[in-house]
């Protein structure tokens, strides 16, 4: 708290010193009524001039802000419209992939196909296709049941 108080006092004293240097103290006590009115008119003219300049600067800032927003919007739209070129597909061998991953240290070529086991498909036994009506006649009755019973054993 004491540091804060000392800092505020230092700022106040610096402000007073700067005002004393830049702006001389007003001596209004010896002026006539006409001189005071002229002095006030002069002050009002200066204040109006500064206000106009400040207003002009504020207007310029708002115009520039709008322009910046418009340009940033245009840039954003153009980014969306830009077409990126299609990447070309490149075929790389397994050795080149390993070389890229492991670096140039590994110079052996690896044959991945040598480690693969070959699997031969066994041909399925196909049942002979016969006329289904003959098969029904053959399996009908007790003889067909005997054939099914014997085939199950």
């Amino acid at each position: 708290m004491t540091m804060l108080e000392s800092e505020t006092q230092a700022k106040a004293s610096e402000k007073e010193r700067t005002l004393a240097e830049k702006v001389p103290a007003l001596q209004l006590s010896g002026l006539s009524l006409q001189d005071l009115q002229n002095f006030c008119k002069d002050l009002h003219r200066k204040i109006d001039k500064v206000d106009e300049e400040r207003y002009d600067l504020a207007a310029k800032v708002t115009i520039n802000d709008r322009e910046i927003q418009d340009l940033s919007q245009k840039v954003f739209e153009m980014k969306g419209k830009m077409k990126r070129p299609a990447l070309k597909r490149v075929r790389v061998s397994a050795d080149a992939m390993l070389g890229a991953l492991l670096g140039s240290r590994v110079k052996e070529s690896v044959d991945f196909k040598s480690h693969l086991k070959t699997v031969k498909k066994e041909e399925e036994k196909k049942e002979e296709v016969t006329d289904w009506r003959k098969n029904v006649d053959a399996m009908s009755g007790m003889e067909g049941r005997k054939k099914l019973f014997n085939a199950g054993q």
Side-chain angles (χ1 to χ4, degrees):
M1 292 299 281
T2 57
M3 290 174 63
L4 185 61
E5 290 173 5
S6 63
E7 188 176 320
T8 55
Q9 288 176 356
K11 283 184 181 180
S13 63
E14 185 179 336
K15 183 178 177 182
E16 289 175 13
R17 184 179 49 82
T18 306
L19 284 175
E21 289 176 6
K22 305 251 179 183
V23 181
L26 292 175
Q27 298 292 333
L28 298 177
S29 60
L31 296 176
S32 67
L33 181 62
Q34 188 66 29
D35 291 337
L36 281 175
Q37 285 178 346
N38 288 339
F39 182 71
C40 287
K41 285 180 185 178
D42 188 35
L43 276 178
H44 283 293
R45 270 189 249 117
K46 288 180 181 178
I47 289 171
D48 289 341
K49 185 178 178 183
V50 169
D51 283 343
E52 286 178 15
E53 288 176 2
R54 187 172 35 163
Y55 178 75
D56 290 343
L57 289 176
K60 286 179 184 178
V61 166
T62 55
I63 289 171
N64 286 338
D65 283 342
R66 285 186 198 142
E67 189 176 348
I68 288 171
Q69 287 177 350
D70 291 342
L71 290 175
S72 62
Q73 182 67 28
K74 285 181 182 178
V75 166
F76 184 72
E77 289 174 359
M78 289 183 76
K79 278 185 182 177
K81 290 180 183 177
M82 296 282 282
K83 291 186 179 178
R84 294 180 180 90
L87 297 176
K88 294 180 180 177
R89 289 187 181 259
V90 178
R91 289 191 178 181
V92 179
S93 67
D95 295 332
M97 280 184 176
L98 279 177
L101 289 174
L102 302 175
S104 60
R105 300 175 285 159
V106 180
K107 297 201 176 189
E108 292 183 22
S109 67
V110 179
D111 187 15
F112 289 111
K113 289 184 180 178
S114 65
H115 297 298
L116 295 177
K117 294 180 180 177
T118 57
V119 177
K120 294 181 181 177
K121 278 190 174 179
E122 293 181 17
E123 294 182 15
E124 296 178 11
K125 295 179 182 177
K126 295 183 180 179
E127 295 182 16
E128 293 181 20
V129 179
T130 57
D131 191 9
W132 62 274
R133 283 169 271 172
K134 291 180 183 175
N135 195 15
V136 168
D137 289 338
M139 292 296 182
S140 65
M142 289 301 278
E143 294 173 9
R145 292 180 190 221
K146 284 182 186 176
K147 288 179 185 176
L148 287 174
F149 181 73
N150 291 338
Q153 291 178 349

